[in-house]
Amino acid sequence: ILDSLEERIDVTVFYQSGERLELNDLLNQYALESSKFHFELYDLDRNPGMAKKYGIGNYGETVVAYNGKRTKVSYPVEDKIIHAILKLTRKEKKVICFLKGHGENDVSNYNLRKGYSKLREALESEDYDVRELLLTKKEGIPGGVSVIVICGPKKDFLKEELEALHRFVQEGGKVLFMIDPFYDFPNLSAFLSVRYDVVLGNDVIVDQSNRTLGGDEFTVMIPLFLKHPIIQDFRTPVLFPLARSVEAKGNSRGGVYAQTLAQSDPKSFALSGKKALTGGKVSIEEGRRGPISVAAIVAVESKETGRGKEESFQEQIVILGDSDFVSNLYIDHLGNKDLFLNTVNWLGEEDSLISSRLKRPEHSYRFLKYQETKRLFWLLVILQPALPLIVGLVIYLRRKRKG
């Protein structure tokens, strides 16, 4: 982002006494990255006139100015500085539309388990214009939309709606599908298979060997990714609470090229239908062995040179076999948020946001696998308390033998 600056950018920070050194070190890192990044630090208590000039009333408030425009952030942390730079340098905001009308997840719902408000906040923090879209025969898809997100529909689509999405893609639009298991979509499944060479599996992924602490075998870690800019620097897996298979046929035909983006662990397997949730112990002999594809990316032939696998193809569609992974409950776990945001950034042609986010130091949850919890139990609960007893017993027996 700093490398793409065309003009000088000025950052003015009003700090509290004692914070100058820390803030100077932080901002100096940005200045070393780009000669166009300049900053000034003012003690708020000692510079009331300067603070009044910029309308500053609180410690840490920061003014970012670029090309005659300026904006204010509450504190100069990296996320807020990047957001301010994007806000000032972008000629226009990219519009991300969440489709509704089929029982999709609500990005305005703040409920921890059922809500997806954090998803909206994550997009807005990267300066996207987030809207909701209801497809109608009269209006269709409005102009100016960069990416349409279909997040966890519960009802099938009308054929007219799918054709509207197809026209949107033909005109250069991008679509992200996140489709949960155990919902039947005859029209959508046929549409993805025929138009885009992708098969939605009528199944659920099971992983007994990589169960998380407190989780079941249906909450799976996704460790295997295709070499692709969306996930090029991933260091942690993604957690899918409940996932279906998404298989790319891999046939480059009819102006479409589909390929696998992510797979489950080789020890996982896929069980068909709702059989896996009817009770009883599931067995690998009953399912299809892993690794199972849970995400696919589709490049569509374009008249203009794109960034797809072939020179005449442009990647415009991503299909993920789960939507719960970005609910309020799960979005901050492991690499979940990065996978979603990177996907939207790639589809929205905001590649610089991918690399900038992956360089940030993040605090995340550490999920223990089921086998790891068993080893920790034996180490901490059995062996460690027993060690003094064992040592004491050995010393006692030695002394008794000598005596």
Side-chain angles (χ1 to χ4, degrees):
I1 293 174
L2 293 176
D3 290 339
S4 64
L5 292 175
E6 297 178 357
E7 304 289 341
R8 169 179 169 141
I9 191 157
D10 291 284
V11 177
T12 306
V13 183
F14 291 85
Y15 64 90
Q16 187 177 14
S17 179
E19 293 184 333
R20 180 181 177 87
L21 185 60
E22 179 184 353
L23 291 172
N24 184 76
D25 290 343
L26 174 65
L27 296 172
N28 195 50
Q29 293 180 33
Y30 306 148
L32 292 174
E33 289 291 330
S34 174
S35 60
K36 294 179 180 177
F37 186 95
H38 299 263
F39 68 92
E40 291 181 307
L41 301 173
Y42 292 97
D43 187 322
L44 180 58
D45 296 323
R46 296 183 178 182
N47 296 274
M50 185 68 72
K52 185 176 181 180
K53 172 184 175 182
Y54 287 105
I56 301 296
N58 299 304
Y59 295 116
E61 282 190 316
T62 301
V63 177
V64 183
Y66 179 81
N67 200 21
K69 299 181 292 183
R70 70 185 187 188
T71 187
K72 189 162 56 176
V73 299
S74 59
Y75 199 80
V77 292
E78 184 171 356
D79 286 354
K80 295 185 182 296
I81 291 294
I82 288 175
H83 179 268
I85 293 174
L86 288 173
K87 183 177 180 180
L88 295 173
T89 57
R90 275 180 174 170
K91 295 180 180 178
E92 58 181 2
K93 282 188 176 184
K94 295 289 180 70
V95 177
I96 309 297
C97 281
F98 281 81
L99 200 64
K100 63 178 183 178
H102 314 87
E104 289 89 351
N105 301 314
D106 187 1
V107 293
S108 298
N109 188 336
Y110 289 87
N111 183 274
L112 180 62
R113 292 188 174 274
K114 297 181 180 180
Y116 286 73
S117 58
K118 287 186 177 180
L119 186 62
R120 182 182 199 128
E121 291 169 2
L123 288 170
E124 290 177 341
S125 71
E126 302 206 345
D127 207 40
Y128 285 109
D129 183 359
V130 181
R131 306 176 187 177
E132 293 182 336
L133 173 65
L134 180 64
L135 286 178
T136 62
K137 292 182 179 180
K138 293 183 179 180
E139 298 180 3
I141 298 173
V145 176
S146 297
V147 181
I148 292 177
V149 180
I150 301 172
C151 182
K154 310 298 186 294
K155 299 177 183 178
D156 201 5
F157 293 74
L158 298 174
K159 292 182 179 180
E160 293 80 6
E161 293 175 317
L162 294 172
E163 285 304 311
L165 288 173
H166 181 60
R167 288 194 298 271
F168 175 69
V169 171
Q170 286 183 316
E171 294 168 0
K174 316 293 175 64
V175 183
L176 169 58
F177 292 90
M178 295 189 287
I179 311 297
D180 296 313
F182 305 134
Y183 293 99
D184 294 324
F185 303 104
N187 292 341
L188 177 60
S189 297
F191 171 75
L192 292 176
S193 178
V194 175
R195 292 284 194 185
Y196 300 114
D197 224 24
V198 173
V199 177
L200 287 180
N202 182 28
D203 52 24
V204 63
I205 310 300
V206 180
D207 191 346
Q208 295 173 320
S209 62
N210 291 308
R211 289 169 53 187
T212 58
L213 178 61
D216 56 26
E217 58 265 36
F218 301 106
T219 302
V220 296
M221 289 188 184
I222 309 300
L224 305 177
F225 296 93
L226 174 76
K227 188 177 180 181
H228 190 279
I230 290 177
I231 36 77
Q232 61 185 353
D233 293 320
F234 261 38
R235 295 292 180 266
T236 56
V238 172
L239 188 73
F240 278 9
L242 203 62
R244 76 193 304 159
S245 66
V246 178
E247 304 281 354
K249 297 179 183 178
N251 301 319
S252 182
R253 60 169 182 77
V256 169
Y257 182 85
Q259 58 182 331
T260 297
L261 183 63
Q263 294 176 310
S264 62
D265 190 272
K267 295 180 181 178
S268 65
F269 54 98
L271 290 179
S272 299
K274 296 186 178 180
K275 180 180 179 181
L277 297 182
T278 57
K281 188 175 181 179
V282 296
S283 172
I284 191 171
E285 285 75 19
E286 302 176 28
R288 179 162 55 95
R289 293 176 181 268
I292 308 295
S293 174
V294 294
I297 188 165
V298 181
V300 180
E301 192 170 17
S302 174
K303 295 180 181 179
E304 299 179 0
T305 300
R307 303 174 301 180
K309 187 175 179 63
E310 299 179 17
E311 187 176 339
S312 60
F313 282 71
Q314 185 176 20
E315 290 170 339
Q316 294 181 242
I317 301 171
V318 173
I319 305 102
L320 305 178
D322 181 42
S323 72
D324 297 331
F325 79 103
V326 286
S327 68
N328 290 345
L329 182 62
Y330 289 104
I331 190 170
D332 292 317
H333 293 356
L334 299 177
N336 289 13
K337 182 189 290 186
D338 282 338
L339 175 62
F340 175 80
L341 290 177
N342 287 5
T343 301
V344 172
N345 289 334
W346 179 255
L347 292 175
E349 300 182 15
E350 295 288 353
D351 306 3
S352 60
L353 288 175
I354 297 176
S355 58
S356 66
R357 187 187 320 103
L358 291 177
K359 290 178 182 177
R360 303 175 197 169
E362 292 278 352
H363 296 287
S364 184
Y365 295 88
R366 170 67 170 102
F367 281 85
L368 295 178
K369 298 178 182 179
Y370 181 68
Q371 295 299 327
E372 292 175 326
T373 62
K374 291 178 67 176
R375 288 194 290 269
L376 281 175
F377 173 80
W378 278 98
L379 177 64
L380 300 178
V381 180
I382 306 297
L383 294 179
Q384 188 174 3
L387 186 60
L389 179 62
I390 295 171
V391 172
L393 182 61
V394 170
I395 294 173
Y396 169 76
L397 291 175
R398 282 185 177 181
R399 288 179 178 179
K400 185 177 181 181
R401 188 178 301 173
K402 289 180 180 180

